[in-house]
């Protein structure tokens, strides 16, 4: 799904927000948690089941008013393979409810490793003569600070599936300035990344709204930087954490 699809959903819902699905078992309502523990045990399987049931309830409550969800993979990975099953179930269920899914994975590796990530999260894995979709997200978040080698495999996968990526440009965390605000020559590092995002997204604009296939993560905690980036990147879709 290109960003044109996400924009259509935003217009339909009259709501530009994305709901983060970052559940910790200890924060799940007790009646859901205890029911899962009763059935599967107070263990990783029980915790993962509670996460899945909680996510399903959230999606049911939100699908009519929120266009997209953003599960953060770390909260599922910490529960091992049980958690990854819960994540896969969550993505499929959100799709079934018509929601756009941004997998917050922040991958940033290179070469064959990046290609393997891209297949797993976006395009699917070829086994024999058939391609099997695994997580099948509509979009993923990426760390591009290793350069084009860490982004191109995802762009190839996204292009073939009409999907998208968000690349970290200016992040919302307090220490982001340690690297991103440094001056390199006569440019600030995060503006260099913004130029790369524009370059990676060149000639991939959607036909209806004009957004490129490569979006940018731009933290709301730095509003002056956000305004600067919007001027620099007029055709780039922004994912804005921290507001």
């Amino acid at each position: 799904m290109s960003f044109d699809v996400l924009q259509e959903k935003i217009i339909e819902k009259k709501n530009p927000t994305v709901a983060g699905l970052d559940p910790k078992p200890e924060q799940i309502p007790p009646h859901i948690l205890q029911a899962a523990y009763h059935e599967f045990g107070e263990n990783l399987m029980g915790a993962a089941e509670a996460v899945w049931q909680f996510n399903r309830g959230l999606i049911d409550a939100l699908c009519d008013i929120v266009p997209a969800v953003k599960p953060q993979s770390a909260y599922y990975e910490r529960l091992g393979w049980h958690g990854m099953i819960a994540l896969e179930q969550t993505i499929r269920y959100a799709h079934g409810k018509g929601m756009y899914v941004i997998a917050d994975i922040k991958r940033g590796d290179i070469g064959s490793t990046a290609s393997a990530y891209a297949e797993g999260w976006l395009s699917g894995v070829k086994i024999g003569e058939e391609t099997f979709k695994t997580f099948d997200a509509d979009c993923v978040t990426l760390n591009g600070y290793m350069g084009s080698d860490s982004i191109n495999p995802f762009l190839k996968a996204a292009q073939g599936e009409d999907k998208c990526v968000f690349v970290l440009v200016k992040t919302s965390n307090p220490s982001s300035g340690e690297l991103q605000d440094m001056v390199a020559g006569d440019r600030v590092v995060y503006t260099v990344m913004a130029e790369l995002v524009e370059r990676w997204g060149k000639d991939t604009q959607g036909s209806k709204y004009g957004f490129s296939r490569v979006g940018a993560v731009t933290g709301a905690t730095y509003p002056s930087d956000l305004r600067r980036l919007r001027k620099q990147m007029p055709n780039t879709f922004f994912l804005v954490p921290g507001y």
Side-chain angles (χ1 to χ4, degrees):
M1 295 183 177
S2 72
F3 284 131
D4 276 359
V5 175
L6 178 55
Q7 183 70 356
E8 288 284 0
K9 292 181 182 294
I10 289 171
I11 293 169
E12 176 191 350
K13 307 295 184 190
K14 299 182 175 64
N15 186 350
T17 59
V18 54
L21 298 179
D22 311 337
K24 294 181 179 180
E26 59 268 26
Q27 296 174 342
I28 291 174
H31 70 282
I32 297 175
L33 189 63
Q34 292 308 315
Y37 285 167
H38 179 74
E39 183 174 359
F40 295 99
E42 194 167 347
N43 50 35
L44 292 173
M45 183 179 292
E49 177 65 17
V51 165
W52 155 235
Q53 295 297 338
F54 184 50
N55 283 352
R56 186 168 66 173
L58 286 173
I59 290 167
D60 286 342
L62 294 170
C63 62
D64 290 334
I65 57 174
V66 174
V69 290
K70 182 173 70 66
Q72 162 55 255
S73 64
Y75 291 91
Y76 304 86
E77 291 173 25
R78 70 198 286 263
L79 299 177
W81 64 268
H82 305 288
M84 299 313 285
I85 289 175
L87 176 56
E88 185 176 354
Q89 290 174 311
T90 296
I91 292 172
R92 290 183 179 180
Y93 194 73
H95 279 155
K97 292 290 185 175
M99 302 183 88
Y100 192 93
V101 178
I102 302 166
D104 195 356
I105 61 174
K106 295 186 179 68
R107 299 299 192 257
D109 217 320
I110 59 173
S112 59
T113 307
S115 295
Y117 278 136
E119 291 170 358
W121 288 99
L122 293 175
S123 62
V125 179
K126 189 172 183 180
I127 300 176
E129 297 301 316
E130 187 174 353
T131 297
F132 295 87
K133 295 298 179 65
T134 46
F135 293 105
D136 199 23
D138 302 310
C139 183
V140 294
T141 59
L142 303 174
N143 187 340
Y145 280 91
M146 286 182 72
S148 301
D149 293 334
S150 64
I151 302 298
N152 286 335
F154 288 93
L155 291 183
K156 181 179 179 181
Q159 188 79 34
E161 297 292 318
D162 194 23
K163 296 182 177 182
C164 301
V165 303
F166 279 114
V167 177
L168 304 180
V169 174
K170 174 58 180 172
T171 57
S172 59
N173 58 301
S175 64
S176 65
E178 293 175 358
L179 171 64
Q180 296 165 22
D181 290 354
M182 290 185 66
V183 178
D186 59 350
R187 299 183 295 172
V188 179
V189 167
Y190 76 78
T191 67
V192 177
M193 180 56 68
E195 290 177 13
L196 286 172
V197 166
E198 288 278 280
R199 185 191 309 168
W200 292 329
K202 186 180 179 183
D203 300 325
T204 68
Q205 285 81 6
S207 58
K208 189 167 186 179
Y209 297 103
F211 292 111
S212 80
R213 197 174 297 279
V214 186
V217 178
T218 54
T221 45
Y222 302 101
S224 61
D225 298 337
L226 187 57
R227 286 190 290 269
R228 178 178 184 177
L229 287 168
R230 175 45 76 206
K231 291 180 181 178
Q232 184 179 349
M233 310 169 78
N235 298 314
T236 300
F237 209 101
F238 282 7
L239 177 61
V240 186
Y243 66 85

